[in-house]
């Protein structure tokens, strides 16, 4: 595997479910990101991890809980989501946190019923 | 209001036509990146422009960074169906990248 991978690619969940999104990067990068992409809106940065430490949390509701066990893996744990949380969730990595080129995964298309 | 405004939001053209898409802001950026996102995939970096007035070419794509480093344009010559996708600009400000909402380009054969 090369680059940034995300699983699952598609997820449908009810508002009372608990699920997790997984991201893995094979680039030797030190920073990882979670973004939310909705139609006609800019990419919304959710969380930034640098060397497994969270360095940014952009006022994201607590129903989204990130976890970074090591510099290659990033999770987004989801619980009691709302229909407006339906979106494409993109994971990215970069050599260093900040403005370095970001390498994105293919995303997880999430639908909350 | 968005920090980076991209226009047009949507563009549908015939194969062989030329087009320009824009990325504008009232803020200064230290650099600006352009990404293309194809359906079902994540964004992929096309180019980074750093110097005001800089012009970079990538085959049929020409990128320009404004003199004041507040805006940028992407010109595509003789568009092809393979150019179809969402074009995103991202400005570097401080230690953050700020993304625009993108221009959806559809090139019909």
């Amino acid at each position: 595997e090369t680059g940034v991978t995300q699983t699952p690619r598609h997820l449908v969940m009810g508002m009372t479910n608990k699920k997790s999104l997984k991201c893995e990067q094979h680039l030797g990068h030190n920073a990882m990101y979670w973004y939310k992409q909705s139609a006609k809106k800019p990419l919304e940065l959710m969380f930034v991890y640098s060397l497994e430490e969270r360095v940014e949390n952009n006022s994201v509701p607590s129903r989204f809980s990130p976890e970074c066990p090591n510099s290659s893996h990033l999770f987004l744990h989801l619980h009691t989501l709302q229909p407006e949380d339906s979106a494409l969730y993109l994971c990215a990595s970069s050599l260093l946190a900040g403005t370095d080129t970001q390498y994105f995964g293919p995303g997880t298309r999430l639908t909350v019923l | 209001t968005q920090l980076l405004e991209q226009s047009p939001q949507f563009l549908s053209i015939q194969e062989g036509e030329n087009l320009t898409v824009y990325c504008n802001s009232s803020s200064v950026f230290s650099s600006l990146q352009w990404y293309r996102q194809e359906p079902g995939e994540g964004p992929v970096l096309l180019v980074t422009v750093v110097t005001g007035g800089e012009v970079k070419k990538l085959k049929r794509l020409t990128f320009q960074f404004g003199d004041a480093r507040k805006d940028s344009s992407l010109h595509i010559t003789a568009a092809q169906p393979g150019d179809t996708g969402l074009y995103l600009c991202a400005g570097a400000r401080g230690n953050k990248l700020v993304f625009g909402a993108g221009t959806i380009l559809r090139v019909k054969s």
Side-chain angles (χ1 to χ4, degrees):
Chain A
E1 285 277 16
T2 57
V4 181
T5 58
Q6 288 187 244
T7 55
R9 294 293 306 271
H10 300 273
L11 179 62
V12 179
M13 59 188 289
M15 289 192 285
T16 58
N17 291 156
K18 288 186 181 181
K19 297 285 184 184
S20 295
L21 309 185
K22 179 183 175 182
C23 175
E24 186 172 357
Q25 59 98 358
H26 309 269
L27 300 169
H29 288 166
N30 296 310
M32 296 187 78
Y33 310 77
W34 278 118
Y35 286 91
K36 177 183 180 183
Q37 186 175 36
S38 304
K40 299 183 183 177
K41 287 182 156 184
L43 283 177
E44 296 175 48
L45 179 63
M46 301 175 72
F47 302 103
V48 182
Y49 277 82
S50 177
L51 295 171
E52 300 143 47
E53 286 197 24
R54 192 189 311 179
V55 296
E56 188 150 346
N57 175 349
N58 278 338
S59 303
V60 179
S62 60
R63 57 186 183 268
F64 295 92
S65 175
E67 179 191 0
C68 187
N70 56 62
S71 60
S72 298
H73 293 85
L74 186 64
F75 295 89
L76 188 62
H77 303 299
L78 316 171
H79 62 98
T80 59
L81 294 192
Q82 304 298 310
E84 60 264 30
D85 296 323
S86 298
L88 183 68
Y89 288 84
L90 290 164
C91 172
S93 71
S94 63
L95 186 58
L96 297 173
T99 60
D100 275 4
T101 300
Q102 295 187 14
Y103 294 78
F104 287 84
T108 295
R109 173 68 62 185
L110 174 66
T111 302
V112 181
L113 301 175
Chain B
T1 55
Q2 298 174 14
L3 192 58
L4 271 173
E5 297 280 348
Q6 290 193 245
S7 62
Q9 286 187 9
F10 180 77
L11 189 57
S12 180
I13 61 172
Q14 289 295 134
E15 183 177 1
E17 291 184 14
N18 302 332
L19 66 115
T20 303
V21 298
Y22 300 93
C23 175
N24 295 310
S25 177
S26 56
S27 301
V28 176
F29 295 100
S30 54
S31 66
L32 198 133
Q33 301 172 11
W34 283 93
Y35 291 80
R36 179 170 66 212
Q37 184 176 14
E38 298 183 17
E41 300 296 328
V44 175
L45 180 73
L46 295 173
V47 78
T48 302
V49 285
V50 179
T51 307
E54 182 177 3
V55 176
K56 279 192 174 178
K57 291 194 174 184
L58 186 66
K59 297 183 181 177
R60 295 176 292 100
L61 278 60
T62 302
F63 303 85
Q64 184 162 8
F65 201 12
D67 291 340
R69 291 184 288 128
K70 293 182 179 181
D71 52 78
S72 182
S73 64
L74 159 58
H75 181 80
I76 301 179
T77 304
Q80 297 178 2
D83 296 326
T84 292
L86 174 68
Y87 288 81
L88 296 164
C89 64
R93 198 151 176 258
N95 67 343
K96 293 186 180 181
L97 266 185
V98 177
F99 282 84
T103 293
I104 297 173
L105 172 65
R106 187 173 77 165
V107 182
K108 296 176 284 188
S109 55

